Amino acid sequence: MKTLKRMQFDLVPRYSAMPEDSIKLYIDQAVRDGYDTEIFMDVRLTHYPLRDYCSLWGELQNMVKSYGKIGKRNEHALTHNKIGKHSMHLIRLCLMCLDLLEKGEIVTFREKEHDLLMDIRNGAYLDESGKPTAEFFEMINEFEKRLEYAREHTSLPDEPDYKEIDEFVMSVNERVVRGTI
């Protein structure tokens, strides 16, 4: 549900004059056979640009596809003893996000957290049925709090400098074409 809320939160500022309450996404009991739950939506849009609506519709379709994959991916991970590995990557990504938000750095080699990450990967935070323990979810909740605080207090700009990015991409492409890379 948190993932769905984040997706919904991210949609609103990117589209023309869309009030925050114009789209409500939620999970409820499925109305189709073969599903336990589904994503539902309530939409209120008037005098809305069709071009933006088409883009929005595309994102909503991708959201449905992603939602379906989450359960399958997790089920596959559970049946193939990969939940520990998935859990480790989740914590590693949280740590990398904190580095980025707090220090403006991307640190891929996690020397300080190596032992914790290996413990998670090797099942130290899984119960006897192979599912994450309450202790692991407490760790995730703490990371979510830290990430929210870091997001609110980061020195990073709200928007990337697209002009600088385009110039960098052009310079790389030019060097590739000239054979200097």
Side-chain angles (χ1 to χ4, degrees):
M1 193 62 186
K2 287 181 183 180
T3 301
L4 191 60
K5 292 293 182 193
R6 282 191 193 106
M7 289 176 178
Q8 181 176 327
F9 177 78
D10 289 344
L11 287 176
V12 174
R14 288 187 302 186
Y15 291 98
S16 299
M18 183 188 300
E20 276 190 42
D21 64 345
S22 58
I23 296 181
K24 178 185 175 194
L25 301 173
Y26 54 97
I27 298 172
D28 204 349
Q29 185 175 1
V31 294
R32 290 180 158 194
D33 291 337
Y35 294 96
D36 295 330
T37 60
E38 286 186 271
I39 301 173
F40 288 87
M41 65 182 222
D42 297 333
V43 180
R44 266 187 301 116
L45 294 171
T46 56
H47 194 73
Y48 195 73
L50 183 58
R51 182 166 307 171
D52 282 352
Y53 179 76
C54 290
S55 297
L56 176 64
W57 185 249
E59 285 199 53
L60 291 170
Q61 286 176 314
N62 288 334
M63 193 181 301
V64 170
K65 288 176 190 172
S66 295
Y67 179 74
K69 288 179 184 176
I70 290 170
K72 289 178 185 172
R73 188 179 305 124
N74 289 342
E75 185 178 312
H76 182 271
L78 187 60
T79 58
H80 292 85
N81 296 324
K82 299 288 184 187
I83 291 290
K85 183 177 179 183
H86 284 227
S87 301
M88 179 210 55
H89 285 305
L90 175 61
I91 297 299
R92 180 184 55 78
L93 290 171
C94 287
L95 292 164
M96 289 177 68
C97 284
L98 283 169
D99 287 339
L100 188 58
L101 291 169
E102 294 173 349
K103 304 172 197 168
E105 299 175 349
I106 297 176
V107 179
T108 56
F109 183 68
R110 309 305 311 182
E111 186 173 10
K112 287 191 296 187
E113 300 90 0
H114 179 268
D115 291 343
L116 170 65
L117 293 171
M118 288 301 103
D119 285 348
I120 294 168
R121 182 179 179 158
N122 293 329
Y125 291 86
L126 299 178
D127 63 18
E128 58 280 344
S129 65
K131 294 183 180 177
T133 62
E135 186 180 9
F136 178 77
F137 286 111
E138 288 171 19
M139 186 185 320
I140 291 296
N141 287 335
E142 287 304 312
F143 273 115
E144 285 179 343
K145 290 175 192 172
R146 286 180 60 194
L147 285 165
E148 184 62 29
Y149 180 84
R151 185 185 65 79
E152 291 171 1
H153 295 89
T154 188
S155 61
L156 295 176
D158 290 337
E159 294 289 325
D161 185 341
Y162 290 110
K163 183 179 179 198
E164 189 174 330
I165 293 168
D166 288 341
E167 288 172 4
F168 174 74
V169 169
M170 287 188 305
S171 74
V172 169
N173 287 337
E174 182 179 339
R175 288 182 282 160
V176 167
V177 169
R178 291 177 189 245
T180 59
I181 291 185

